[in-house]
Amino acid sequence: MKILIAYVSAGAGHRKAAEAVYYYLQKNKPGIDIRLVDVLDGSNSLFRFFYTKGYFFLVNYALGLWAFAFWLTKLKLFVGLDKTLAIWIDKVCTGNFFKLLARENPDFVISTHFLPSEITAYLKQKGKITSNLITVITDFGVHPFWISPGTDIYAVASGFTAEQLKGMGVDHRRIMVFGIPVDQRFSAGYDRWSLRHKLGLPQEKFTVLLITGSFGLGPIEDICEMLHKDCQVIAVCASNKRLYARMQKRAIPGVKVYGFVNNVEELMAVSDVIITKPGGMTVSEVLAMELPPIFISAIPGQEEFNIQAMASYGIGHQAKDICDIPAIVKAYKSDPRALAEVKARIRQIKKPLAAQELINAICTGGFRPAD
């Protein structure tokens, strides 16, 4: 069996979901021919710049424009035009991926971004390949871009996501609620107290993890100032070196500062709540770790959908203003039963073994695409 796993390096979530599937296969199914591909590798440089730097610029410095584009491209009037124009642009700018698919014709294409799904579905319709296409939707809501005729299975995060797809006309037989694939580290068991000792954290102090994504943007300093007198704060500055340097210099009491980390699962394991952006991958990791979330700085569109999905399950708070955060944290700190109730609701919907379930379904013929 030959499986090609395709993603686009626009935001970390798509890559991380693809890697979770790839590494699960690599570790547990050594007899399968697998390949992990970033569609942007070898693509037109301008196209690659738009997907990477353009996305970063819009979501960090032009949110209004991003929100307008997200809304506009959801309108039925534009969906067909978007698809027609998109496939023409794809052919011009990502010719290497077209050629790779046609040459390899894998048994399965597992796509964690709408772009490789779009290309694979097009080649299937043209009779160039015969691959089964599984699209892993990496948010809890669904933008029309994710839907491509020729998709055999949509692997989705939750029942909330499945209902959205059905409402957009997707046959229920093509939808499987596996969850968003996360690294197996997030489903491992951790000794909270040993980890606290290892990280130099007080054993009994209420602990808040503050992390806003790989760029370390947002009001991290202000939130630390608001919370440090009432609880222990773990602040992750990620790749924001200027922020890290400032916070190291300020040395706010009760705040432990990190730069870029590769042990976020350990930081989650020692924390009582997390303050974070509601990206689809982040939410899935938080659920896997059973960590009650407080959401800030949501990107209009997909991240707002993620908040809505969590709210429908009674999970998480959205702090529309950072001044709301101390009260939310204090409420959790003073009421352990509230924390326990959120964790119980999380256990009902979390899917930490999404990659395993997806691959097992493939290997055992456990899915039956609609005709």
Side-chain angles (χ1 to χ4, degrees), residues 9 48-59:
S9 49
R48 185 166 60 251
F49 178 86
F50 171 79
Y51 258 100
T52 55
K53 304 298 183 183
Y55 173 79
F56 171 80
F57 175 81
L58 287 172
V59 300

Side-chain angles (χ1 to χ4, degrees), residues 16 20 40 45 54 59 86 129 191 202 254 259 269-270 316 347-348:
K16 290 169 72 174
L40 297 185
S45 58
V59 300
I129 61 174
D191 185 327
V270 300
R347 283 193 289 274
Q348 292 177 353

Side-chain angles (χ1 to χ4, degrees), residues 36-354:
L36 181 65
V37 177
D38 180 356
V39 176
L40 297 185
D41 286 346
S43 66
N44 176 280
S45 58
L46 182 62
F47 185 80
R48 185 166 60 251
F49 178 86
F50 171 79
Y51 258 100
T52 55
K53 304 298 183 183
Y55 173 79
F56 171 80
F57 175 81
L58 287 172
V59 300
N60 288 292
Y61 302 109
L63 268 181
L65 181 58
W66 171 268
F68 175 73
F70 192 93
W71 169 80
L72 187 67
T73 52
K74 285 187 67 180
L75 298 178
K76 289 184 178 180
L77 176 65
F78 287 90
V79 171
L81 177 62
D82 284 341
K83 287 287 186 181
T84 302
L85 179 61
I87 201 64
W88 180 83
I89 294 173
D90 295 345
K91 288 168 71 175
V92 172
C93 297
T94 63
N96 284 351
F97 185 67
F98 274 80
K99 293 174 184 175
L100 173 66
L101 279 180
R103 182 175 68 249
E104 296 290 331
N105 191 20
D107 297 292
F108 290 89
V109 174
I110 301 174
S111 168
T112 63
H113 188 278
F114 58 80
L115 174 60
S117 293
E118 198 169 67
I119 295 170
T120 304
Y122 173 80
L123 290 175
K124 286 184 67 176
Q125 289 181 310
K126 294 297 182 180
K128 303 292 185 181
I129 61 174
T130 57
S131 307
N132 293 285
L133 171 58
I134 300 175
T135 294
V136 179
I137 298 177
T138 55
D139 280 299
F140 287 76
V142 185
H143 188 282
F145 277 5
W146 282 103
I147 299 174
S148 293
T151 302
D152 296 288
I153 291 294
Y154 293 92
V156 302
S158 66
F160 178 94
T161 322
E163 290 304 315
Q164 286 208 336
L165 274 176
K166 292 174 190 175
M168 299 167 80
V170 175
D171 190 321
H172 70 92
R173 293 172 295 173
R174 296 188 186 275
I175 305 169
M176 301 197 79
V177 183
F178 288 126
I180 299 173
V182 299
D183 192 286
Q184 290 177 288
R185 295 175 300 159
F186 293 92
S187 58
Y190 293 96
D191 185 327
R192 174 186 178 93
W193 308 116
S194 295
L195 278 178
R196 284 200 172 195
H197 177 73
K198 169 187 169 182
L199 298 171
L201 297 171
Q203 290 290 338
E204 300 297 336
K205 199 166 186 180
F206 191 88
T207 301
V208 176
L209 175 59
L210 172 56
I211 183 168
T212 60
S214 58
F215 300 116
L217 300 176
I220 291 177
E221 290 176 275
D222 293 337
I223 293 172
C224 287
E225 285 286 358
M226 291 177 176
L227 296 180
H228 77 96
K229 293 180 181 179
D230 296 308
C231 57
Q232 169 78 29
V233 181
I234 301 173
V236 179
C237 302
S239 58
N240 192 333
K241 295 180 180 179
R242 291 183 179 178
L243 173 64
Y244 179 71
R246 284 200 310 271
M247 294 199 67
Q248 285 283 79
K249 186 175 181 179
R250 290 181 65 180
I252 303 172
V255 176
K256 194 169 184 67
V257 181
Y258 289 89
F260 184 83
V261 298
N262 57 13
N263 65 330
V264 69
E265 73 284 352
E266 292 185 344
L267 301 183
M268 288 184 180
V270 300
S271 300
D272 294 289
V273 298
I274 183 171
I275 300 171
T276 188
K277 285 174 58 62
M281 176 57 69
T282 298
V283 171
S284 296
E285 292 170 350
V286 166
L287 295 180
M289 297 296 295
E290 296 183 14
L291 188 57
I294 301 169
F295 298 122
I296 61 170
S297 306
I299 296 173
Q302 69 269 35
E303 291 190 353
E304 292 175 339
F305 278 138
N306 296 337
I307 291 175
Q308 290 173 22
M310 291 301 99
S312 73
Y313 295 111
I315 296 168
H317 288 273
Q318 180 182 13
K320 294 185 178 180
D321 189 288
I322 63 170
C323 294
D324 299 332
I325 292 174
I328 299 171
V329 170
K330 287 179 182 178
Y332 274 133
K333 181 183 176 182
S334 63
D335 189 357
R337 287 182 302 177
L339 275 178
E341 288 171 3
V342 174
K343 288 176 179 287
R345 288 193 285 270
I346 289 175
R347 283 193 289 274
Q348 292 177 353
I349 70 161
K350 72 171 188 173
K351 297 187 180 299
L353 303 179

